[in-house]
Amino acid sequence: MRLSWDWLTPRRRPATARSVLAGEASAEAARKTSQAPEEALEAGATEVTPAEEKPAEPEFPVAGDERAAAFFDLDNTVMQGASLFHFGRGLYKRKFFERRELTRFAWQQAYFRIAGTEDAGHIQDVRESALSIVKGHRVAELMSIGEEIYDEYLAGRIWSGTRALAQAHLDAGQRVWLVTAAPVETATIIARRLGLTGALGTVAESVGGVYTGRLVGEPLHGPAKAEAVRALAAAEELDLDRCAAYSDSHNDIPMLSLVGHPYAINPDTKLRKHAREHDWRLRDYRTGRKAVKIGIPAAAGVGALAGGTAAAVAIHRRRA
């Protein structure tokens, strides 16, 4: 994949070189695949959340502000669970890889929900798993399958409350992007199906339309997300002070801190604490024990069906 970033404005950056590369590559991919604002509004209008399910509309967004936009994390912010795991389920169903690899996916997701953090080793494991699965496959093939997987596993997992927040930005005439560590192709499918403008995601290298098994930079995670948002904002002439960002994870504090309107959605403990200390707005669409259990049953249950691990099953039973 040959990418050009001549439109970027040089500046000093605190992130690593790989984070910067990942962010800029993601911004470039998002600009190439995003819908025009009018198209996004038209597409989104067919999926507006019923009025009785909408949360009270915040003072923001400001209608007609073309220099404002919104950036939404995906996993556990827009949808319940991990999109990459469910994408893996769909590929397993289509015999892209063996049972033991699905078990590995299940354990990685169960570990993340229990530990509540994503360390370097965990991210590296997820990265290697995903790249090994797609290597040698055509991009067009994965995009086509991704549309089917959305209908099978993802459509029913969208948080209606977060969907309503995104729709409020669209209704105000603003652009809305997903920002996720999931592959940009997967993220783009989800964004399009929700009527959003586009998506920033992890960019996997491809040559001649075939995945090489390498990334451009690193996974779009933590500081890399902030770099992607910064790069896209510069290219699209957005004023970040007038933009909004939404996430459930403390790992996204760098991205949330970039904008003038940060929101903590279904926040983990660290993000909730940080949001309260900085007077950020919070939204939690989980209730009671469901908030504690979210994400565990899907990962552990499928892992067990695939011949999973005793640890994953035990986690599921303790939480059920």
Side-chain angles (χ1 to χ4, degrees):
M1 177 180 291
R2 296 180 180 273
L3 298 171
S4 173
W5 306 293
D6 295 338
W7 44 268
L8 291 171
T9 301
R11 60 167 208 87
R12 296 184 62 185
R13 301 175 186 267
T16 66
R18 292 181 67 83
S19 293
V20 173
L21 180 59
E24 293 177 350
S26 183
E28 176 74 1
R31 296 185 75 223
K32 289 180 177 178
T33 60
S34 64
Q35 303 179 63
E38 295 80 7
E39 294 171 347
L41 281 167
E42 182 179 352
T46 62
E47 296 193 30
V48 177
T49 305
E52 63 271 18
E53 295 182 16
K54 286 186 177 181
E57 289 191 0
E59 298 175 3
F60 186 80
V62 178
D65 189 351
E66 296 182 355
R67 296 197 64 197
F71 302 93
F72 284 78
D73 169 57
L74 177 58
D75 295 349
N76 293 309
T77 301
V78 171
M79 63 166 283
Q80 301 176 41
S83 55
L84 183 58
F85 171 72
H86 293 293
F87 187 70
R89 289 175 66 188
L91 293 182
Y92 171 73
K93 177 181 177 180
R94 292 161 176 80
K95 304 186 185 303
F96 266 66
F97 55 90
E98 298 178 358
R99 178 177 297 178
R100 59 184 176 81
E101 292 176 289
L102 181 61
T103 301
R104 185 181 182 188
F105 261 72
W107 172 244
Q108 287 168 346
Q109 295 307 317
Y111 168 82
F112 167 63
R113 300 316 303 170
I114 292 292
T117 186
E118 298 173 347
D119 59 32
H122 176 76
I123 295 297
Q124 181 68 16
D125 284 346
V126 173
R127 168 182 170 175
E128 291 177 355
S129 295
L131 291 175
S132 66
I133 289 170
V134 302
K135 181 178 181 180
H137 288 280
R138 299 195 65 81
V139 175
E141 176 189 16
L142 269 293
M143 289 292 287
S144 176
I145 291 174
E147 296 282 356
E148 299 173 4
I149 292 174
Y150 178 87
D151 291 325
E152 292 172 6
Y153 297 112
L154 304 181
R157 306 183 68 84
I158 303 300
W159 290 110
S160 61
T162 312
R163 179 68 188 88
L165 291 173
Q167 187 63 44
H169 286 278
L170 293 172
D171 290 343
Q174 296 179 6
R175 288 162 287 179
V176 179
W177 281 280
L178 294 180
V179 188
T180 175
V184 68
E185 292 84 1
T186 301
T188 298
I189 289 170
I190 296 172
R192 183 171 62 249
R193 297 295 287 272
L194 293 178
L196 308 183
T197 309
L200 296 156
T202 297
V203 178
E205 182 186 71
S206 64
V207 175
V210 177
Y211 290 111
T212 65
R214 295 187 294 270
L215 291 184
V216 178
E218 64 183 12
L220 200 71
H221 177 263
K225 280 189 179 182
E227 291 298 322
V229 169
R230 198 192 310 272
L232 185 62
E236 297 290 324
E237 299 184 346
L238 299 172
D239 182 347
L240 286 172
D241 287 338
R242 288 143 70 175
C243 293
Y246 301 78
S247 179
D248 72 299
S249 173
H250 68 279
N251 292 304
D252 289 339
I253 288 175
M255 177 181 75
L256 294 169
S257 299
L258 278 181
V259 301
H261 301 270
Y263 285 74
I265 304 294
N266 305 328
D268 60 30
T269 301
K270 291 182 179 179
L271 178 57
R272 183 180 294 274
K273 181 176 183 292
H274 186 92
R276 286 174 172 167
E277 290 174 349
H278 291 78
D279 199 27
W280 292 355
R281 293 184 178 181
L282 290 91
R283 296 283 189 278
D284 201 325
Y285 302 118
R286 304 162 298 180
T287 57
R289 290 178 60 83
K290 184 177 181 180
V292 179
K293 292 166 58 178
I294 194 66
I296 296 295
V302 174
L305 288 173
T309 62
V313 176
I315 290 168
H316 177 55
R317 289 174 177 171
R318 285 200 302 270
R319 296 280 180 172

